[in-house]
């Protein structure tokens, strides 16, 4: 660009600035510090959407302040029997506070077996059936208001319910506890029922039980999450407890082709209250000196009405708190 062109561009600008610096009353020049170029004000951050997803931009309630640890918080128990006792206490506390949609999540097998390649999905489901039965027997004493009511251990479909009855020995494995299916209820499966177990459907017809005092949901896949929502809409007065469904993992498939939309998370799964939550994790730290590799493990833990805790396993009976 030539110097003549640059002069032609900047000369009008300089003239305008000198004219603005002159005082309108006495001709005295104002300090240069008060000469401000006025421009259209930029939009406020509150006016600019943070995401193209309207659900992500909606206003949310402010989280309550974090309560400092007192040293009396619950810690992961040493046995599954004590774990079920903790889960029952946490569920009762949530019910007393008015919760109806709840989540319970913990490893159904010892931590030493979680990384075992020989552990199959059937082994995990069998363990969850036994643990949910113990949980349901204790909850039945609180929730059942009469002999006509029972806690419903709920499987995805009738074929799964029949297999669970074979494993537990009966469709009513304990007093006050019965088996139920999201799709099919307590009816006998069709001869082609195995096909429904192979092809998961999110639009299957959902039936509510007239005798259920609570639903303990087991073995549901991501494609079947909308059926839990339908059940919550049909039986809007009955507690629903998602038992070891690994919802943190299932949420990752929402929105993918062939899976339910992300609205399932925004409109339903976000309403589930984690009343008992135990998520273990193992890590390793690289060092520049011996032993060069340091392995450690911990757990994210919650037992309602307490808050979340981050616990570091030190190999002792009581893990150290790292809050």
């Amino acid at each position: 660009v030539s110097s003549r062109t640059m002069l032609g561009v900047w000369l009008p600008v300089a003239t305008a600035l000198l004219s603005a610096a002159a005082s309108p009353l006495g001709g005295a020049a104002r300090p240069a510090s008060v000469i401000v170029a006025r421009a259209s004000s930029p939009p406020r951050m509150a006016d600019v959407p943070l995401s193209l997803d309207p659900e992500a931009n909606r206003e949310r309630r402010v989280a309550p302040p974090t309560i400092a640890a007192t040293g009396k918080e619950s810690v992961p128990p040493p046995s599954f029997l004590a774990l079920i006792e903790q889960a029952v206490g946490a569920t009762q506390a949530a019910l007393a506070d008015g919760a109806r949609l709840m989540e319970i999540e913990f490893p159904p097998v010892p931590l030493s077996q979680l990384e075992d390649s020989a552990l199959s999905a059937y082994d995990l489901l069998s363990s969850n059936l036994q643990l949910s039965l113990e949980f349901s027997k204790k909850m039945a004493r609180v929730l059942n208001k009469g002999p006509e009511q029972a806690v419903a251990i709920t499987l995805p479909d009738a074929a799964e319910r029949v297999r669970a009855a074979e494993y537990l020995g009966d469709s009513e494995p304990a007093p006050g506890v019965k088996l139920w299916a999201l799709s099919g209820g307590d009816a006998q499966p069709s001869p082609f029922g195995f096909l429904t177990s192979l092809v998961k459907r999110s639009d299957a017809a959902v039936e509510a039980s007239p005798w259920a005092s609570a639903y303990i949901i087991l073995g549901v896949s991501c494609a079947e999450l909308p059926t839990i929502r339908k059940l919550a809409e049909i039986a809007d007065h009955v507690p629903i407890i998602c038992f070891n469904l690994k919802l943190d993992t299932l949420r990752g498939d929402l929105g993918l082709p062939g899976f339910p939309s992300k609205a399932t998370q925004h409109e339903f799964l976000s309403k589930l209250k984690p009343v008992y939550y135990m998520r273990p994790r193992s890590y390793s730290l690289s060092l520049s000196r011996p032993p060069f590799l340091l392995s450690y493990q911990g757990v994210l833990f919650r037992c309602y009405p307490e808050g979340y805790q981050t616990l570091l396993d030190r190999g002792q009976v009581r893990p150290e708190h790292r809050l």
Side-chain angles (χ1 to χ4, degrees):
V1 181
S2 64
S3 59
R4 180 177 299 179
T5 303
M6 292 297 298
L7 182 62
V9 172
W10 285 106
L11 186 59
V13 176
T15 304
L17 291 176
L18 291 176
S19 301
S23 172
L25 296 178
R30 284 186 275 178
S33 60
V34 301
I35 301 177
V36 180
R38 300 184 176 222
S40 59
S41 59
R44 297 177 299 170
M45 290 300 296
D47 300 332
V48 179
L50 301 179
S51 173
L52 297 179
D53 185 1
E55 181 63 25
N57 296 327
R58 67 178 176 85
E59 295 184 1
R60 291 173 171 81
R61 294 181 297 176
V62 179
T66 304
I67 301 176
T70 62
K72 299 181 181 180
E73 291 81 9
S74 303
V75 295
S79 66
F80 282 106
L81 180 60
L83 185 150
I84 293 298
E85 292 286 352
Q86 278 188 341
V88 169
T91 305
Q92 291 179 358
L95 287 172
D97 289 344
R100 190 179 71 88
L101 303 176
M102 291 164 280
E103 175 189 1
I104 293 177
E105 187 68 43
F106 61 87
V109 296
L111 298 182
S112 58
Q113 301 180 15
L114 282 179
E115 304 300 330
D116 189 354
S117 58
L119 189 67
S120 65
Y122 180 79
D123 296 330
L124 293 176
L125 180 58
S126 300
S127 180
N128 278 325
L129 281 172
Q130 193 62 47
L131 292 169
S132 64
L133 176 59
E134 297 300 323
F135 175 82
S136 300
K137 288 193 293 186
K138 297 180 181 298
M139 291 301 301
R141 303 168 189 169
V142 179
L143 297 174
N144 294 347
K145 303 304 181 182
E148 70 282 355
Q149 283 193 319
V151 174
I153 298 179
T154 308
L155 283 300
D157 51 48
E160 297 270 2
R161 178 184 54 79
V162 170
R163 281 194 290 269
E166 294 174 354
Y167 176 79
L168 296 176
D170 193 76
S171 59
E172 188 173 352
V177 179
K178 297 181 181 180
L179 297 181
W180 188 255
L182 285 171
S183 175
D186 56 357
Q188 291 298 318
S190 66
F192 303 98
F194 67 95
L195 293 177
T196 61
S197 298
L198 295 177
V199 182
K200 304 297 184 180
R201 297 175 52 193
S202 60
D203 58 348
V206 178
E207 298 183 25
S209 170
W211 43 260
S213 60
Y215 294 96
I216 313 298
I217 311 294
L218 284 179
V220 173
S221 65
C222 179
E224 296 162 326
L225 290 177
T227 61
I228 306 178
R229 178 181 180 179
K230 294 178 183 178
L231 178 64
E233 295 171 352
I234 296 173
D236 56 356
H237 61 287
V238 181
I240 295 178
I241 303 171
C242 296
F243 196 91
N244 282 352
L245 295 185
K246 291 189 175 182
L247 291 178
D248 290 344
T249 303
L250 299 184
R251 287 183 175 99
D253 294 332
L254 294 175
L256 297 177
F259 290 91
S261 66
K262 291 185 178 181
T264 305
Q265 161 65 21
H266 299 319
E267 299 173 3
F268 176 68
L269 293 181
S270 60
K271 300 177 183 179
L272 295 175
K273 181 186 293 295
V275 296
Y276 193 82
Y277 190 87
M278 183 192 304
R279 183 175 182 179
R281 281 294 181 268
S282 298
Y283 305 92
S284 60
L285 177 65
S286 300
L287 303 174
S288 59
R289 58 183 184 276
F292 301 109
L293 189 64
L294 181 63
S295 298
Y296 60 98
Q297 61 182 3
V299 63
L300 178 63
F301 181 71
R302 189 203 190 182
C303 183
Y304 189 87
E306 302 170 7
Y308 287 89
Q309 304 177 71
T310 304
L311 305 178
L312 176 65
D313 186 3
R314 299 189 302 175
Q316 300 178 358
V317 175
R318 186 180 181 90
E320 180 183 1
H321 292 238
R322 298 292 190 190
L323 302 179

